[in-house]
Amino acid sequence: MPTRLSPREILETLVSFPTVSRDTNLPLIDWVADYLASHGIDSHRHAKPAEPDLKAALFAHVGPEVEGGVILSGHTDVVPVDGQAWTSDPWVLTEREGKLYGRGSTDMKGFDALAIWAMVEAKHRGVTTPLQIALSYDEEIGCMGGKDVAEAMRAALPKAASVIVGEPTGMKAVTGHKGGMTYWVHVHGVEVHSSILHTGVSAIMYGAKLIEWANEVNAENAAATPGKIAALFEPPYTNLHVGQIRGGTAHNITAKDCAFGFGFRVVPGEDPKHWERRMMDKVAEIEAQMQAVCPEARIEVETLFELPPLVPVENNSAEELVRQVTGDNGVMQVSYGTEASHFQAAGYDAVVCGPSDIAIAHKPDEYIEIAQLDAGRAFMERLLERLA
């Protein structure tokens, strides 16, 4: 009989693969496919269309070939460790004082390990309701792989009824989250000596007008009375953010270029396209000011990613299942995004529920408490009982 690894042993293996989003995840995908195959589970591989030799998703099905099953969904990529002060090797799972340290241990290879373990257990124990697994790529750079894997699964497998996305929630049910949109803005200015600034166009100074508009909109939204759904979030409004910026050549030259990321976290119930139109209207206004000085000046806007909100809905079978398994009846929404909204958009009922705490993610010395991994295993045990 092939070896049946524990969740901790699987997590140790997953952490050993340095699947930073900029790099390949194929060795991890190969290992999972081989491990599942050793237990008689066939898996499907979906190569990333733009980088088929670099990244792939994996999904599989256990149980009768019927609709109505449950998907356990996780991502395989992690954020970088560059410049972070780790006290142990981030690619070696290390136990200290009841915690397991390693990049991705919380976000979200801990849940991935539990999902892989549950699939093998479902195969050996038998289930009458199908269990499926979905492991994606590029979640950390905008949930870009979740849409691909949701669509690929619908085409290849009997459609499940419920999706549990295992982002770290302390094993609580999250039924809604904000959507996300990120754009790359490139302001093209015209260089002149800074002493005759008025005859050129500083890309930095005009780009700053769009950034200041973001500050003004944030203040406007914060001052407004939140709607019923918005009030469930912290902060209780759509917010705008610039997290990266670069540009300029020298202090005494008007900047020829300024480029920055411009993002929105959109409350469910609001139209993301409304916010995009408002941004583009402001871009057009600023561009007109630039071209009044130098007609060749311009602003380019590239869409990097769009993630729909996860909208709380009634009669959500995934939410009902998780509440039955955990006993949790609390109301919980989050401001970060997950792949649950892509599954919801593809026609699945979806909920977010996984071990550990999002506050631990992305930091140096990321860890998962052994107690939380154990709680996740207990969750999977109760889920398997229901599926049997």
Side-chain angles (χ1 to χ4, degrees):
M1 289 289 291
T3 302
R4 287 159 73 172
L5 301 175
S6 69
R8 177 169 173 168
E9 290 170 326
I10 297 171
L11 176 58
E12 184 175 9
T13 301
L14 297 182
V15 167
S16 72
F17 294 106
T19 51
V20 175
S21 296
R22 65 180 175 232
D23 301 321
T24 185
N25 73 336
L26 295 184
L28 183 151
I29 293 296
D30 289 341
W31 181 86
V32 175
D34 290 344
Y35 179 65
L36 293 179
S38 73
H39 291 277
I41 302 172
D42 294 330
S43 59
H44 301 255
R45 185 183 300 237
H46 176 80
K48 181 180 178 182
E51 298 175 302
D53 296 327
L54 190 67
K55 297 179 182 179
L58 177 144
F59 52 93
H61 177 106
V62 170
E65 295 289 321
V66 296
E67 296 187 350
V70 175
I71 297 173
L72 302 174
S73 169
H75 60 82
T76 61
D77 59 320
V78 298
V79 296
V81 299
D82 306 17
Q84 293 188 331
W86 283 73
T87 55
S88 57
D89 188 332
W91 311 116
V92 176
L93 195 68
T94 304
E95 180 179 349
R96 297 195 300 272
E97 299 179 344
K99 300 172 181 177
L100 300 173
Y101 290 83
R103 173 56 88 217
S105 53
T106 273
D107 187 16
M108 60 180 296
K109 291 180 176 179
F111 181 84
D112 293 346
L114 291 163
I116 294 166
W117 176 83
M119 288 290 287
V120 171
E121 292 301 306
K123 178 67 174 181
H124 287 285
R125 300 182 192 185
V127 288
T128 58
T129 299
L131 184 65
Q132 298 176 357
I133 189 172
L135 299 176
S136 69
Y137 51 80
D138 286 354
E139 191 275 347
E140 294 292 4
I141 53 175
C143 294
M144 297 172 68
K147 185 172 185 288
D148 292 345
V149 73
E151 293 174 351
M153 290 184 78
R154 284 209 61 169
L157 299 180
K159 184 177 180 294
S162 306
V163 182
I164 302 171
V165 177
E167 293 285 357
T169 69
M171 299 310 302
K172 303 292 185 182
V174 168
T175 58
H177 64 62
K178 292 184 179 181
M181 304 180 297
T182 294
Y183 306 87
W184 190 249
V185 179
H186 188 172
V187 184
H188 298 267
V190 177
E191 292 177 307
V192 298
H193 194 283
S194 60
S195 64
I196 51 171
L197 171 68
H198 65 289
T199 65
V201 172
S202 168
I204 290 176
M205 296 180 74
Y206 278 93
K209 292 188 176 187
L210 184 61
I211 296 171
E212 179 54 26
W213 175 76
N215 288 326
E216 293 169 357
V217 172
N218 282 339
E220 169 192 312
N221 290 352
T225 301
K228 182 178 179 181
I229 295 179
L232 300 171
F233 293 86
E234 179 57 40
Y237 54 85
T238 293
N239 63 299
L240 290 62
H241 177 246
V242 174
Q244 291 179 297
I245 187 169
R246 61 172 181 257
T249 302
H251 178 65
N252 59 352
I253 304 173
T254 57
K256 180 181 179 181
D257 295 286
C258 179
F260 48 90
F262 196 100
F264 295 82
R265 297 283 183 173
V266 181
V267 169
E270 295 183 2
D271 181 5
K273 291 300 181 183
H274 161 78
W275 291 106
E276 182 182 79
R277 287 191 296 269
R278 284 195 63 179
M279 178 191 70
M280 293 307 297
D281 287 346
K282 191 65 181 180
V283 166
E285 176 188 322
I286 296 169
E287 186 178 61
Q289 296 171 8
M290 295 165 58
Q291 292 177 344
V293 180
C294 296
E296 63 269 37
R298 69 189 193 280
I299 301 176
E300 290 180 303
V301 179
E302 176 189 2
T303 302
L304 296 184
F305 72 83
E306 295 178 323
L307 175 70
L310 177 65
V311 182
V313 296
E314 295 182 357
N315 302 316
N316 181 338
S317 64
E319 176 188 355
E320 181 180 351
L321 175 63
V322 165
R323 294 198 187 284
Q324 289 172 351
V325 172
T326 62
D328 169 40
N329 290 313
V331 177
M332 188 174 176
Q333 279 79 31
V334 295
S335 292
Y336 59 83
T338 80
E339 294 174 331
S341 59
H342 281 311
F343 279 100
Q344 186 179 68
Y348 296 91
D349 284 355
V351 69
V352 185
C353 181
S356 200
D357 186 340
I358 194 66
I360 302 170
H362 298 192
K363 293 182 177 181
D365 284 348
E366 178 184 350
Y367 65 85
I368 185 170
E369 293 181 355
I370 294 174
Q372 276 291 298
L373 192 64
D374 290 344
R377 178 170 178 161
F379 173 93
M380 294 300 177
E381 289 278 10
R382 293 191 292 271
L383 176 64
L384 290 168
E385 290 172 5
R386 288 182 174 274
L387 299 183

